[in-house]
């Protein structure tokens, strides 16, 4: 029974199902607790899951049961290296080589460990990755267990599932920040007392000195960076004749694949096809042979053949329960072929749908890029077919009329239609209600208006009787704001500034939208950028005043509990806030605010530091009293 559990563990490990492999090895250990190989295999599975502390315990047990077995020291070295203890890893690998000097795995591991020991300390990643990786180390569990509030979370299955997901994928942390339990654990890991709404009332009754101590989070130790450890492998089992033959066929198929890859690099596509086809005949359980052959068909322009191979790869991959990444690759290749065909058929929908399916299997940046390109190509095709300058003028005038009478939804509809009918139309004659401003000849020429009858007409009218179609974006942004559609309005306001960075009205539109979205620090930056162009603009000055009022309210704690929680949740998903909290310099500054007021005053003289502190205050993470 122990051998059967071991065999299941080996099979799961080979398929990349490390959690399952660890469970089978545990079952085997329960049946045969004196078998050192079982501890060794479970150590390999746990190391593959980055559970290095548990892997180290199993490796030590392996060496204890079989001190003259070199493989045990390989496991020991890999676990130490995963925990960042390069010196202990070197010692372990050297002990193993003393028993088996010719072991290549031990040699490679020793080389990696020595490189890690000799390498200077590296700064860890920044932003969300740095925060997410704080959940990787063994100190996570000790900190949670030591905290009276967080300790109870360990008995809650849904919370434990969240933690495991963050450990597997640090970038998924942002998905769970709305959960107060995750925010509590995050504050433990950062060693920051983030003010929570439920703590607001009690903090108001605390002595001033205690409140000052609570306002500034001290820094934590920098997250440990890990060197890549050698790939662990389970112990081999005795093979039957049938298994040996299967293994030989797979090895031969891999050689054919390598030969096909070499031919592909030389652009000898016919030869590459032959090798990949031979590999498929030898081993039909590896769909990479199909996806590689599909790539060759794309280069040869045989798009229908490529699509057939990709469909086979997806179907066979489902049967074999292949890695989602391989399924995604096959779908991406198929989408690429469909895009090539769409250039003549003008049907991009099926290609877009295929790329979307690929992304549901595995979110690959290359696939996402191809999807965006296909959607852009479809949009350009639709614009070409929809282009009608005469109808664009009619729609624009309709939009102006509705805007005058404050019928904003109707105005948006007609402005949008005008832009669709003629997206590059440089002409918008503005009624008196609309804002007008003179634009220089340089501005027009920068935007490509340098030929035809328009330039002489503008010269005759002193270049000031007309403004570009950015006014349509500006007015549509105003309509969206009136309707509370802030994200859409923000896009239009940013489009105005993209078309003409000197368009002052664009800054007032953008700043107002950011203010309504309660992003007061960003609104302040927008208004200040506009004031550099027009220092006396009353709308911009009023915007700055309103932002200052809101930021001061946050400083004084005069905001509701719900608003405080909303600000904190939004802030912790902001990469800029995350970078500030993980910046070692800023964390030292925050510590000085709590422990060394004189040094803190010196820090405040630095405009960059002051700006970052203000962002934390605006976000509700830090309060100044």
């Amino acid at each position: 029974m122990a051998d059967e559990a071991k065999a299941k563990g080996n099979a799961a490990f080979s398929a990349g199902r490390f959690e399952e492999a660890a469970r089978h090895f545990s079952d085997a250990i329960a049946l045969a607790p004196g078998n050192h190989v079982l501890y060794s295999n479970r150590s390999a599975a746990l190391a593959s899951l980055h559970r290095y502390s548990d892997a180290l315990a199993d490796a030590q047990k392996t060496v204890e049961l079989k001190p003259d077995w070199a493989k045990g020291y390989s496991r020991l070295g890999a676990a130490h290296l995963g925990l960042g203890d390069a010196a202990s890893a070197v010692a372990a690998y050297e002990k193993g080589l003393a028993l088996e000097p010719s072991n290549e795995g031990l040699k490679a591991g020793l080389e990696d460990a020595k490189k890690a020991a000799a390498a200077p300390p590296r700064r860890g990643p920044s932003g969300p990755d740095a925060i997410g990786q704080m959940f990787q180390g063994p100190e996570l569990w000790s900190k949670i267990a030591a905290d009276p509030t967080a300790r109870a979370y360990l008995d809650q299955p849904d919370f434990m599932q969240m933690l495991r997901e963050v450990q597997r994928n640090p970038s998924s942390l942002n998905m769970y920040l709305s959960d107060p339990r995750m925010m509590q654990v995050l504050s433990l890991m950062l060693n920051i007392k983030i003010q929570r709404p439920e703590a607001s009332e009690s903090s108001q009754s605390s002595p001033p000195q205690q409140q000052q101590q609570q306002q500034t989070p001290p820094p934590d130790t920098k997250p440990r960076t890990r060197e890549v450890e050698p790939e662990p492998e389970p112990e081999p089992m005795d093979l039957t004749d049938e298994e040996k033959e299967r293994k030989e066929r797979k090895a031969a198929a891999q050689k054919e694949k390598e030969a096909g890859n070499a031919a592909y690099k030389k652009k000898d596509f016919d030869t590459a096809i032959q090798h990949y086809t031979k590999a498929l005949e030898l081993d039909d359980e590896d769909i990479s042979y199909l996806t590689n052959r599909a790539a060759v068909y794309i280069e040869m322009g045989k798009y229908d053949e490529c699509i057939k191979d990709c469909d086979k790869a997806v179907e066979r991959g489902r049967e074999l329960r292949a890695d989602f990444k391989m399924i995604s690759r096959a779908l991406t290749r198929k989408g690429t072929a469909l895009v090539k065909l769409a250039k003549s058929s003008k049907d991009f929908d099926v290609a877009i749908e295929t790329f979307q399916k690929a992304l549901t299997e595995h979110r690959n940046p290359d696939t996402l890029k191809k999807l965006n390109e296909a959607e852009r190509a479809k949009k350009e095709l639709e614009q070409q077919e929809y282009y009608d300058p005469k109808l664009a003028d009619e729609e624009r005038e309709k939009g102006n009329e509705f805007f005058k009478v404050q019928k904003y939804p109707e105005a948006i509809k007609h402005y949008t239609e005008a832009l669709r009918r003629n997206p590059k139309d440089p002409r918008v004659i503005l009624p008196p209600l609309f804002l007008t401003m003179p634009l220089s000849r340089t501005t027009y020429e920068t935007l490509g208006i340098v030929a035809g009858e328009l330039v002489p007409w503008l010269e005759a009218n002193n270049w000031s009787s007309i403004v570009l179609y950015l006014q349509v974006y500006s007015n549509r942004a105003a309509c969206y704001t009136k309707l509370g559609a802030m994200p859409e309005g923000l896009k239009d306001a940013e489009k105005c500034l993209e078309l003409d960075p000197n368009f002052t009205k664009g800054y007032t539109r953008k700043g107002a939208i950011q203010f309504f979205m309660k992003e007061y620090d960003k609104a302040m930056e927008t208004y200040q950028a506009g004031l550099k162009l027009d220092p006396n603009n009353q709308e911009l000055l009023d915007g700055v005043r309103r932002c200052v009022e809101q930021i001061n309210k946050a400083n004084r704690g005069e905001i509701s509990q719900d608003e405080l929680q909303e600000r904190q949740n939004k802030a912790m998903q902001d990469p800029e806030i995350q970078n500030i909290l993980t910046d070692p310099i800023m964390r030292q500054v925050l510590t000085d605010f709590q422990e060394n007021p004189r040094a803190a005053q010196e820090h405040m003289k630095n405009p960059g530091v002051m700006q970052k502190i203000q962002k934390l205050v605006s976000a509700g993470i830090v309060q100044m009293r």
Side-chain angles (χ1 to χ4, degrees), residues 87-156:
S88 296
V90 169
Y93 285 124
E94 287 178 342
K95 287 181 180 178
L97 285 170
L99 295 169
E100 191 176 332
S102 61
N103 188 300
E104 294 298 329
L106 288 166
K107 289 180 181 179
L110 179 60
E111 183 179 353
D112 290 339
K114 286 183 176 179
K115 287 180 181 178
R122 295 185 300 174
R123 182 176 177 174
S126 61
D129 286 339
I131 292 179
Q133 287 194 10
M134 290 183 182
F135 287 75
Q136 300 291 326
E139 66 274 7
L140 169 68
W141 307 107
S142 60
K143 285 193 175 185
I144 294 176
D147 184 79
T149 302
R151 185 184 305 133
Y153 303 158
L154 297 175
D155 297 327
Q156 300 172 12

Side-chain angles (χ1 to χ4, degrees), residues 555-620:
N555 287 344
R556 296 190 297 266
E558 297 176 0
I559 59 177
S560 67
Q561 295 181 3
D562 291 340
E563 185 175 355
L564 175 62
Q565 183 173 4
E566 181 183 352
R567 285 196 195 182
Q568 289 179 345
N569 291 341
K570 183 182 291 186
M572 292 308 297
Q573 298 182 43
D574 187 339
E576 189 173 5
I577 295 295
Q578 292 174 339
N579 283 329
I580 293 174
L581 290 176
T582 55
D583 183 348
I585 296 176
M586 284 303 301
R587 294 173 76 173
Q588 181 59 50
V589 170
L590 295 174
T591 299
D592 289 340
F593 268 94
Q594 179 176 344
E595 300 175 356
N596 190 346
R598 181 174 298 178
Q601 292 299 321
E602 291 298 319
H603 290 312
M604 295 299 286
K605 296 177 182 179
N606 185 325
V609 171
M610 182 62 183
Q611 183 181 22
K612 291 179 180 180
I613 291 294
Q614 190 60 61
K615 285 186 181 295
L616 295 179
V617 171
S618 301

